Amino acid sequence: TTLANGIVNRMGPDFIRDRMDKCGVNCEEVAKAYIIIRESFDLRQIWLDIEELDGKVPASVQLNALHETSLMMERAVTWLLTRFGRKLDITRDIAHFKDGIVSVKENLNSVVPTNLLNTINQLTKNGIDNGLPQKLAHDISLMPVLGSACDIIRISVDHKFEIAITARVYFEIGAHFHLDWMRKKARYLPTDNHWSAQALEGLIDQLYTCQSNLTVRILKDMGKDINQGKKKSKNDIGCLGCNSVMEAWIKDRGSQAKLLAPLFEELRHSSTLDISMLIIAEQRLRNLYGG
């Protein structure tokens, strides 16, 4: 009863049914995924910190912070149910993901591109200006970034690359190919009915898949160079000295990637962006890793 009440209070009355329909799983699996993400990301403490601000900050500030946590929870739960690839085990999986999430957070300043780091810092400042304590403001500003932590951890474990290296390549790909921008634009596209809404949600998921699979492709292609870079400088996070692994890959092996620049330039300057244009961009990105 306590768990059921918690899920409804945090995620809304339709969350379990929506995830069951979207992911093709039963109620038990959704509840397990919810617990794993809640504990791995230490969300109970974050929720408590938000609620302790009752009467101290405007309710809209608290609601916005709670909304950011729920978006991250929805993304991560969906990932566990559709892409994890094995039966969930609460105790084992909490331990598995918790350490990885801590590692991503500890290395954040060295693995995210400058523009994304500036965005995180600005969101943190906005939160502080709105009355949030500094740590809580920073935790909330990280929610959009940490929504990708499960992908990063899985890639690192499966392919035996350090989490910091994987995270750096993953976020560089997101910035270079405008994936964050495309997902944001997709979320605000109008939908006429249930089917078009489902199609749009599927496209957003596929853009995450592109980012993940392209990360794997680049790490595999550049594995030898990465390992050599690690041997030369053990204090560096690993890749080709201080250079970008992704940029090195595009220079040496990414001839198709270079040809995508005009497409993204057209998308960025289009006044009538629609789902068909985003689908074409997703298909071109998929071709880069042979998907």
Side-chain angles (χ1 to χ4, degrees):
T1 301
T2 301
L3 177 61
N5 287 341
I7 294 175
V8 170
N9 289 341
R10 298 301 180 190
M11 302 303 297
D14 297 329
F15 175 72
I16 287 184
R17 172 56 62 185
D18 283 347
R19 293 310 95 184
M20 289 170 64
D21 291 343
K22 175 180 174 58
C23 305
V25 297
N26 58 32
C27 177
E28 175 188 353
E29 291 300 300
V30 178
K32 282 183 178 179
Y34 172 87
I35 294 170
I36 292 167
I37 298 304
R38 183 189 67 187
E39 299 305 313
S40 298
F41 287 84
D42 201 19
L43 287 177
R44 285 203 282 191
Q45 184 59 54
I46 292 174
W47 289 330
L48 180 61
D49 291 342
I50 295 171
E51 289 163 356
E52 285 181 344
L53 296 173
D54 286 353
K56 300 177 184 177
V57 300
S60 59
V61 174
Q62 291 174 285
L63 290 172
N64 181 67
L66 291 170
H67 179 63
E68 290 297 329
T69 66
S70 68
L71 287 177
M72 193 280 294
M73 170 69 83
E74 182 176 309
R75 153 95 174 115
V77 164
T78 302
W79 185 93
L80 275 180
L81 296 173
T82 58
R83 298 185 58 193
F84 193 32
R86 62 171 170 77
K87 192 172 181 63
L88 300 179
D89 181 296
I90 292 175
T91 302
R92 177 188 61 193
D93 293 337
I94 288 173
H96 176 76
F97 284 105
K98 193 165 187 129
D99 290 344
I101 291 162
V102 169
S103 178
V104 171
K105 292 175 74 172
E106 287 178 347
N107 290 284
L108 198 67
N109 288 348
S110 61
V111 301
V112 300
T114 302
N115 288 344
L116 181 54
L117 186 61
N118 290 339
T119 299
I120 292 170
N121 291 336
Q122 184 59 53
L123 289 173
T124 300
K125 181 180 182 301
N126 292 345
I128 294 171
D129 292 343
N130 288 328
L132 297 180
Q134 182 174 357
K135 182 180 183 305
L136 179 59
H138 186 60
D139 285 340
I140 298 302
S141 73
L142 293 181
M143 288 296 152
V145 175
L146 291 182
S148 299
C150 293
D151 263 330
I152 292 168
I153 294 165
R154 182 60 182 274
I155 293 168
S156 299
V157 172
D158 286 356
H159 301 282
K160 296 180 172 54
F161 281 102
E162 293 178 11
I163 285 181
I165 296 172
T166 305
R168 180 172 175 177
V169 174
Y170 184 94
F171 290 125
E172 285 179 343
I173 289 169
H176 183 83
F177 293 108
H178 310 284
L179 283 153
D180 295 327
W181 177 83
M182 286 194 288
R183 287 189 289 259
K184 183 177 179 180
K185 288 294 184 182
R187 289 189 181 98
Y188 290 101
L189 288 178
T191 54
D192 298 328
N193 51 51
H194 169 74
W195 294 107
S196 59
Q198 289 289 310
L200 202 55
E201 187 175 359
L203 173 61
I204 293 171
D205 287 345
Q206 196 58 38
L207 289 170
Y208 277 112
T209 301
C210 279
Q211 191 166 352
S212 174
N213 289 342
L214 192 51
T215 299
V216 174
R217 170 66 185 273
I218 291 175
L219 287 171
K220 284 184 174 180
D221 285 353
M222 303 298 288
K224 182 178 179 181
D225 295 326
I226 291 171
N227 290 331
Q228 288 176 348
K230 287 167 64 177
K231 291 176 182 177
K232 290 178 182 178
S233 178
K234 293 183 180 179
N235 295 323
D236 191 54
I237 68 166
C239 6
L240 307 171
C242 295
N243 297 324
S244 163
V245 177
M246 185 206 65
E247 290 177 0
W249 179 81
I250 290 175
K251 180 179 179 180
D252 293 343
R253 300 170 174 86
S255 57
Q256 283 183 286
K258 297 173 188 176
L259 299 177
L260 290 181
L263 170 65
F264 288 114
E265 184 72 15
E266 184 176 353
L267 288 178
R268 297 278 295 187
H269 290 89
S270 174
S271 58
T272 57
L273 190 70
D274 59 32
I275 189 171
S276 61
M277 298 166 73
L278 293 176
I279 289 173
I280 294 298
E282 184 273 328
Q283 290 174 343
R284 299 285 177 83
L285 286 172
R286 205 184 327 145
N287 290 337
L288 291 183
Y289 62 85

